[in-house]
Amino acid sequence: MNIKNIKLFTKKNLTILCIILCVVLITLTTILCIKNSRVSAVILSSTVSDVQENLVAKNRLAHSGVIKEKGEAQFAFNASHKDMFYNVYQKDQSAALVVRVKFNPTAAQKELLTTGTELPFNIGILYSEDFDKNGKLKEALNTKISIYADLSKKLSYQDTEPVIIDFSMGIPKSEHFGNNLPEGFFVSSNVACQLLSACAAPALVGFDNSQEISFYGFSSNGGIVNFQNTSVDFSGASLVFPVQNTKTANMPQYVITLNEDEELKGKSIKLSIGGEKLYIKNSKSVSKLEFPAASLKNAFSNAEFSSNAEAVKSFLLKSIPVQDEYKAVRTDPGLILNYNQKNWRQKEYEVFEWDRYNCILLFDILNYDIQNDFFRRLAFFVEKRGYKGKLWSDEILADKHGYNAHDYSAESLAAFFNKATEENFPLNEKELILKKILIANGLLIPDGQMVKAGEGGIVSISRESDGPLRAKLLAHEAWHTLFFRDEDFRNFVAAVYYTFDEKSRQFLLDFFESQTSLGYDIEDEYLMHNEFMAYILQQGLKYVPEYFVGRANLWSVRVFTPELAQYVRETNAKGFEDAAVILNDYILDVYGISGGNVALINR
């Protein structure tokens, strides 16, 4: 081949190569453009990881996430997105899609706000059954289950800044949750808006206006947003939350955030839910309350505030992650007395934690015998004169009475279990369970073979006590736990104890001495301060004189201390009433509660 032919061959090959490269480049560019056309500007994140990924756009408006006047945006989830929902569900027992939307009405739309014209907004989750085999929607989006909001009830023509709202829709619970993950979601709006973000998060049902951005959460069956926040329909919450307590599942928890406006403090809030009426104190020292769905007769029902709804900033039902079986259930004490016993996690007892104070445990026990197994040896070790500081066998204690209700500090509990370890003393089954409960809830801290005292204390009452007695015992014992944890309260009580009527104080000591079943060591000043306070605050202020005159009328007391018993009767227990007034003023100011009732939620 001559040089001329070689040059022609080389030129021809270069031309072919260039054509091939151009074809490849055009193909890659086309693929990339097609791929990028499906990438939405809206990002999905997760509450359980740092992973973030752009959503898949199914139509033009979903690409930017912006609806300029009115329209629909449809998004799809890929495998990575679905994993986010699955991981949230595995950790928190529930999952939901949360979408943050910024509304910025056009001038024409603002004009409509002055006329009362309805401005619909919908958001809904899509599943595989919503699509045919070709990936097309079987029915129009307006037929799908969704969250509906009339934005004319939220937006104002006077708004100078955009309004941002978070909407949450739950995903149905299932034993095979991973097999029914959502395929995507849609947004339909008659108001100009922008989807700022999306998130895979635990389910929350209810409303929250305590933050800068308002939140409205629904179950998987959707619902209508009530921007007045006077009611919440929890009836569909059973679709996303467990409906009974088991070793592998917990029923959800209600959380109420109260308005901090001073003008609203002190007002009682009336809440009707599932046929029950709850009365909530909006005390000045309280900002949040918690109580379990398991405490109600019909937890998954419509809830409505019939008075002072404006005092509630948020009302949410949230999931409780699976946790240590010995971990206490957080609740307001007022719901323990009539707690739905079928929802106890153990047949013989349930353990609660006071929702306002960490490490204050409240035991409710089926009967006195079971309660004795837990606490009788402790009672003699901690308080009983002649028995304190020693561990006594079941045989010695068999015919002896402990108490109908109990209270112990973390320090006393640590001393008891350390004594048992030092002496290799054989504790019974319930006492060993008690130790596990105390460790799980932070009252005891393991320290090698021994334990150290954490914070707080415990209270125990029994279902064998009748209703009025249970209420009084719960108040009495709960005040002890506040005494344990609050040094300022202890100091205040001591000051009142030493300055209130001297004859009344001596009568109290004589009363304790005369009741041999109590067995109090009256030489223990800490114990006397604690019991003085609790005996006064176990009932309402107006009942204090009646209670102590009643003690003075007891035959055993009249025989033991006749002169002082007569003094209390003749003065109508004025010394105790005066002390009660001082103590009640203090506790109302500091704790927001008063004598006779430590609860902020009452039936």
Side-chain angles (χ1 to χ4, degrees):
M1 183 179 294
N2 58 36
I3 294 175
K4 183 178 181 180
N5 288 338
I6 291 173
K7 287 182 178 180
L8 288 173
F9 178 79
T10 303
K11 185 176 181 180
K12 181 179 179 181
N13 283 348
L14 285 173
T15 302
I16 294 171
L17 182 61
C18 286
I19 292 172
I20 292 172
L21 289 173
C22 286
V23 170
V24 170
L25 184 61
I26 291 170
T27 301
L28 289 174
T29 302
T30 302
I31 292 172
L32 186 60
C33 288
I34 293 173
K35 181 178 179 181
N36 285 339
S37 71
R38 298 183 65 239
V39 174
S40 170
V42 183
I43 292 174
L44 179 72
S45 61
S46 166
T47 57
V48 299
S49 73
D50 295 328
V51 175
Q52 295 185 349
E53 187 171 339
N54 294 79
L55 291 167
V56 178
K58 294 282 284 183
N59 66 359
R60 181 179 58 82
L61 292 181
H63 186 269
S64 63
V66 175
I67 297 176
K68 292 185 178 180
E69 184 136 3
K70 62 181 295 186
E72 298 174 347
Q74 185 182 335
F75 302 85
F77 297 135
N78 60 29
S80 178
H81 299 142
K82 293 178 182 180
D83 283 344
M84 293 187 197
F85 290 104
Y86 181 79
N87 292 335
V88 168
Y89 187 84
Q90 291 297 106
K91 180 179 182 295
D92 291 286
Q93 287 195 301
S94 71
L97 168 70
V98 183
V99 179
R100 178 164 292 181
V101 185
K102 180 173 72 174
F103 296 98
N104 196 9
T106 63
Q109 290 167 347
K110 283 194 172 186
E111 186 66 28
L112 288 176
L113 292 173
T114 65
T115 66
T117 302
E118 186 175 342
L119 293 174
F121 174 85
N122 294 79
I123 179 170
I125 297 177
L126 299 170
Y127 295 87
S128 57
E129 57 265 29
D130 293 313
F131 300 91
D132 61 24
K133 62 181 180 180
N134 297 317
K136 301 293 184 181
L137 280 170
K138 294 179 181 178
E139 299 171 344
L141 289 177
N142 60 12
T143 66
K144 303 300 180 184
I145 294 173
S146 67
I147 298 169
Y148 168 79
D150 178 4
L151 295 173
S152 69
K153 292 180 168 60
K154 177 67 174 178
L155 305 178
S156 170
Y157 71 93
Q158 296 176 326
D159 291 335
T160 57
E161 297 293 332
V163 174
I164 300 175
I165 304 175
D166 285 342
F167 297 95
S168 173
M169 189 169 183
I171 300 171
K173 67 184 181 185
S174 170
E175 291 184 12
H176 308 288
F177 184 79
N179 296 332
N180 193 34
L181 293 166
E183 294 294 328
F185 70 98
F186 69 91
V187 172
S188 173
S189 180
N190 278 33
V191 174
C193 65
Q194 179 183 0
L195 277 66
L196 298 180
S197 63
C199 183
L204 281 174
V205 178
F207 66 87
D208 185 356
N209 287 307
S210 64
Q211 308 296 321
E212 184 176 348
I213 296 174
S214 294
F215 172 93
Y216 293 92
F218 293 82
S219 181
S220 56
N221 63 338
I224 300 173
V225 176
N226 175 5
F227 287 118
Q228 285 71 44
N229 306 316
T230 55
S231 65
V232 179
D233 186 1
F234 292 110
S235 58
S238 59
L239 300 173
V240 296
F241 296 121
V243 296
Q244 62 182 13
N245 288 326
T246 67
K247 290 185 178 181
T248 58
N250 293 317
M251 293 178 69
Q253 188 95 341
Y254 286 101
V255 180
I256 294 177
T257 304
L258 298 171
N259 197 318
E260 295 293 335
D261 188 334
E262 287 295 326
E263 293 184 1
L264 296 173
K265 289 297 183 181
K267 293 186 176 181
S268 179
I269 303 160
K270 185 177 178 181
L271 170 64
S272 299
I273 180 168
E276 293 184 271
K277 289 182 172 58
L278 304 180
Y279 299 89
I280 303 167
K281 295 179 184 177
N282 185 18
S283 296
K284 67 178 182 179
S285 61
V286 181
S287 59
K288 187 172 75 170
L289 298 170
E290 296 182 51
F291 60 98
S295 66
L296 303 179
K297 293 179 181 177
N298 299 294
F300 305 114
S301 307
N302 189 64
E304 183 175 0
F305 294 102
S306 54
S307 66
N308 297 315
E310 67 277 10
V312 177
K313 295 291 288 183
S314 74
F315 186 25
L316 295 169
L317 187 59
K318 67 174 186 177
S319 59
I320 304 175
V322 176
Q323 54 196 6
D324 190 315
E325 64 178 306
Y326 298 113
K327 189 73 173 171
V329 176
R330 289 179 65 82
T331 190
D332 181 88
L335 295 174
I336 294 174
L337 296 173
N338 296 307
Y339 193 92
N340 194 343
Q341 192 173 330
K342 72 177 185 180
N343 289 327
W344 280 7
R345 295 170 298 171
Q346 307 289 337
K347 290 182 179 180
E348 296 181 330
Y349 65 92
E350 183 57 280
V351 186
F352 304 94
E353 183 176 39
W354 199 337
D355 65 322
R356 296 175 61 195
Y357 307 108
N358 294 332
C359 298
I360 291 185
L361 303 188
L362 310 163
F363 285 72
D364 199 5
I365 300 181
L366 188 61
N367 56 48
Y368 291 142
D369 287 340
I370 298 171
Q371 184 172 242
N372 280 337
D373 288 341
F374 273 104
F375 299 114
R376 178 167 52 187
R377 201 183 331 268
L378 253 167
F380 282 83
F381 176 82
V382 175
E383 291 185 356
K384 296 283 189 177
R385 184 168 54 185
Y387 295 87
K388 286 174 61 174
K390 296 181 181 180
L391 298 176
W392 302 91
S393 68
D394 293 335
E395 290 74 22
I396 291 176
L397 298 179
D399 61 346
K400 292 179 173 57
H401 178 66
Y403 298 114
N404 290 342
H406 297 260
D407 66 273
Y408 304 103
S409 67
E411 289 76 14
S412 295
L413 293 162
F416 174 81
F417 286 106
N418 284 337
K419 186 77 167 178
T421 300
E422 290 169 1
E423 297 182 0
N424 198 26
F425 187 93
L427 299 176
N428 66 36
E429 178 188 3
K430 292 297 190 292
E431 290 166 332
L432 295 175
I433 291 174
L434 174 62
K435 186 176 183 179
K436 292 177 181 178
I437 292 171
L438 298 173
I439 290 173
N441 290 280
L443 280 79
L444 298 182
I445 302 168
D447 184 22
Q449 296 297 313
M450 311 297 276
V451 292
K452 294 188 295 185
E455 297 180 2
I458 65 171
V459 164
S460 175
I461 58 175
S462 170
R463 292 258 163 166
E464 194 169 333
S465 301
D466 62 36
L469 179 58
R470 275 168 58 79
K472 181 175 285 188
L473 290 174
L474 179 61
H476 180 109
E477 306 300 344
W479 283 116
H480 283 319
T481 63
L482 292 178
F483 186 89
F484 293 148
R485 76 185 300 276
D486 189 341
E487 183 179 3
D488 289 340
F489 185 38
R490 292 196 298 273
N491 291 337
F492 186 83
V493 169
V496 177
Y497 179 83
Y498 288 119
T499 56
F500 97 112
D501 181 57
E502 185 176 352
K503 288 185 177 181
S504 297
R505 182 170 64 250
Q506 187 57 52
F507 168 80
L508 183 66
L509 297 176
D510 287 353
F511 164 67
F512 289 154
E513 283 255 66
S514 69
Q515 306 305 297
T516 55
S517 63
L518 293 175
Y520 291 149
D521 181 359
I522 65 170
E523 301 301 322
D524 185 336
E525 287 192 337
Y526 180 95
L527 178 62
M528 290 300 97
H529 297 171
N530 201 355
E531 295 300 340
F532 153 73
M533 173 276 302
Y535 271 87
I536 287 179
L537 295 180
Q538 69 185 7
Q539 59 268 307
L541 179 60
K542 67 180 181 179
Y543 299 111
V544 170
E546 177 186 336
Y547 178 79
F548 285 100
V549 169
R551 302 314 96 187
N553 279 327
L554 292 174
W555 181 83
S556 57
V557 177
R558 286 189 284 117
V559 170
F560 189 88
T561 182
E563 292 183 3
L564 291 178
Q566 182 178 354
Y567 172 78
V568 170
R569 291 195 302 273
E570 289 178 348
T571 61
N572 196 32
K574 184 68 166 56
F576 290 101
E577 184 179 23
D578 290 344
V581 170
I582 298 170
L583 289 172
N584 267 275
D585 286 346
Y586 180 90
I587 61 177
L588 185 60
D589 184 58
V590 174
Y591 302 121
I593 47 183
S594 54
N597 187 4
V598 296
L600 292 172
I601 303 176
N602 292 281
R603 282 182 167 91

